[in-house]
Amino acid sequence: MENNTESAGYYEVAHTADWALRVWAPDLAGLFCQAAKGMAALLALELQHVPRGQKEITLSADETETLLVKFLSELLYELSLG
């Protein structure tokens, strides 16, 4: 495991069948943000620093991991529309 002194970030983890990221942040919102940035990096997307707009989404799940998967899936869906 890498020893990282940054308070938030991500890096790709070697995986035999799929992509995998290790993601960390001081809070849940930051964790979701880092996961989204990591996913964008894996997809070779350039993120805009200036928002083009906002869209509110509402998601729910019994577990945090499931909520993260739903969140990233929703982002992929939104990217496919644009």
Side-chain angles (χ1 to χ4, degrees), residues 24 32 46 54 65:
W24 66 97
F32 279 42
E46 284 191 37
Q54 287 185 321
E65 293 85 358

Side-chain angles (χ1 to χ4, degrees), residues 1 5-6 14-15 17 24-25 27 31 34-35 38 40 49 52 64 69 72-73 75 78-79 82:
M1 181 174 190
T5 58
E6 294 181 34
H15 193 282
W24 66 97
D27 58 24
L31 186 77
Q34 291 301 316
H49 293 287
R52 291 186 295 169
T64 305
V69 170
L72 294 174
S73 295
L75 288 179
E78 291 296 328
L79 285 170

Side-chain angles (χ1 to χ4, degrees), residues 6-38:
E6 294 181 34
S7 64
Y10 64 87
Y11 63 87
E12 187 174 2
V13 177
H15 193 282
T16 57
D18 210 346
W19 286 333
L21 292 172
R22 180 157 319 267
V23 182
W24 66 97
D27 58 24
L28 190 59
L31 186 77
F32 279 42
C33 182
Q34 291 301 316
K37 288 179 180 181

